[in-house]
Amino acid sequence: MRLGAPVFGTFETPEQWAAAVRAKGYRAAYCPLKLDANEATIHAYAQAAKRNDIVIAEVGAWSNPISYDADESARAIAKCVDGLSLAERIGARCCVNISGSRSTVWDGPHPDNLTEETFERIVEVVREIIDTVQPTRTYYALETMPWAYPDSADSYLQLIRAIARPQFGVHLDPVNIINSPQRYFENAALLRDCFSKLGPYIKSCHAKDICLAEKLTVHLDECIAGTGGLDYAVYLRELNQLDDVPLMLEHLHAKAQYDQAAAYVRSVAQEGGITL
């Protein structure tokens, strides 16, 4: 497994970027380029990553391909195609997006999100993205979500079977599917279930934490790794059984928070004899 996180600053060369990643002790990184980067720049960053033993974990293509707004959907699909193309060219493990939402908020809840019709639309869209790019060394993946497919290991398996494309992979964010007190308190079992069912397909994972507030009705909030209820000992142990999968810190707001989260994850890994 490889730990990674955003690196802050402006970098004039690929080597400066790689040095910043390594200075933090990370062996994985988010893609440092925009989707419209030219071929020479893409090649230079890919080579810098290779020379410095850095895995580019993911290219983000955050957008809403299943929007009811046809123009928004078309723009989002085009963005995902561009993102998957960049991931293929730079050698990233995956291009990741959420499946989208039927809401006017691109990642929001909506009563139509978890319907058979929406499931079929997700299948159609993902096939279109993969078939357009035809990647051979990277994958298109959907991040798990609390109120949209895939919202569980089982729904992810259903998507894998329905999409039926070898370059469709899994992006696991377990915090995103802890959407009830039951899942919160039983998240060790949830983690084991995800890795048992999805392990061979997992290409990249997110690292954060989740807190259940002691007030009515139910309030679940993201928090810094180590300050919530996610069972990181189980998470890291399960992830370590896979082949060199990146674990990427995210959704924090300052360098110090990332340093705190990284220190916690490393301490749990050390206790378990796991190399990051």
Side-chain angles (χ1 to χ4, degrees), residues 14-271:
E15 285 298 332
Q16 288 181 355
W17 163 76
V21 173
R22 296 298 300 189
K24 286 293 185 180
Y26 298 136
R27 298 193 303 131
Y30 290 104
C31 180
L33 300 181
K34 295 182 179 180
L35 299 185
D36 60 355
N38 62 54
E39 288 300 326
T41 302
I42 293 170
H43 179 73
Y45 273 86
Q47 291 302 305
K50 183 177 181 180
R51 283 192 299 271
N52 289 276
D53 188 30
I54 296 168
V55 164
I56 298 177
E58 57 194 67
V59 173
W62 310 112
S63 57
N64 190 4
I66 63 168
S67 172
Y68 279 133
D69 183 311
D71 289 338
E72 181 181 6
S73 175
R75 288 193 300 270
I77 291 171
K79 182 176 183 179
C80 293
V81 166
D82 289 344
L84 184 57
S85 176
L86 174 56
E88 176 76 0
R89 288 178 289 160
I90 204 169
R93 292 292 173 87
C94 66
C95 170
V96 60
N97 190 15
I98 61 169
S99 62
S101 176
R102 297 304 203 172
S103 172
T104 54
V105 178
W106 75 280
D107 59 351
H110 191 276
D112 292 348
N113 279 358
L114 298 172
T115 62
E116 183 176 348
E117 178 186 4
T118 295
F119 184 96
E120 292 172 355
R121 177 59 178 157
I122 294 167
V123 171
E124 178 184 4
V125 164
V126 172
R127 284 177 172 174
E128 178 180 350
I129 293 164
I130 294 173
D131 291 350
T132 299
V133 178
Q134 297 186 12
T136 59
R137 62 174 182 164
T138 194
Y139 297 80
Y140 186 73
L142 298 177
E143 183 173 350
T144 44
M145 287 290 284
W147 48 55
Y149 293 125
D151 65 338
S152 66
D154 288 336
S155 65
Y156 219 137
L157 278 178
Q158 290 169 355
L159 281 170
I160 290 169
R161 291 163 182 158
I163 291 166
R165 297 293 187 272
Q167 299 310 116
F168 178 56
V170 168
H171 187 287
L172 181 63
D173 187 328
V175 163
N176 282 3
I177 56 175
I178 297 174
N179 54 6
S180 70
Q182 290 84 351
R183 284 188 172 183
Y184 179 85
F185 289 117
E186 299 172 7
N187 72 80
L190 175 69
L191 287 163
R192 293 188 186 98
D193 184 58
C194 286
F195 282 96
S196 173
K197 294 174 178 176
L198 303 175
Y201 307 103
I202 295 174
K203 306 306 171 185
S204 187
C205 295
H206 278 167
K208 54 193 182 193
D209 215 328
I210 187 163
C211 300
L212 176 62
E214 294 182 348
K215 58 181 178 179
L216 293 175
T217 56
V218 176
H219 297 267
L220 289 159
D221 295 295
E222 288 186 8
C223 55
I224 300 171
T227 65
L230 191 69
D231 192 329
Y232 261 90
V234 170
Y235 192 12
L236 298 187
R237 186 162 58 248
E238 293 290 326
L239 184 54
N240 194 51
Q241 296 179 47
L242 305 183
D243 184 19
D244 213 25
V245 173
L247 177 65
M248 305 301 295
L249 298 165
E250 67 151 3
H251 284 186
L252 302 177
H253 306 291
K255 294 179 184 179
Q257 290 182 328
Y258 280 106
D259 290 344
Q260 176 184 338
Y264 171 74
V265 174
R266 287 174 174 136
S267 71
V268 177
Q270 185 176 21
E271 289 176 4

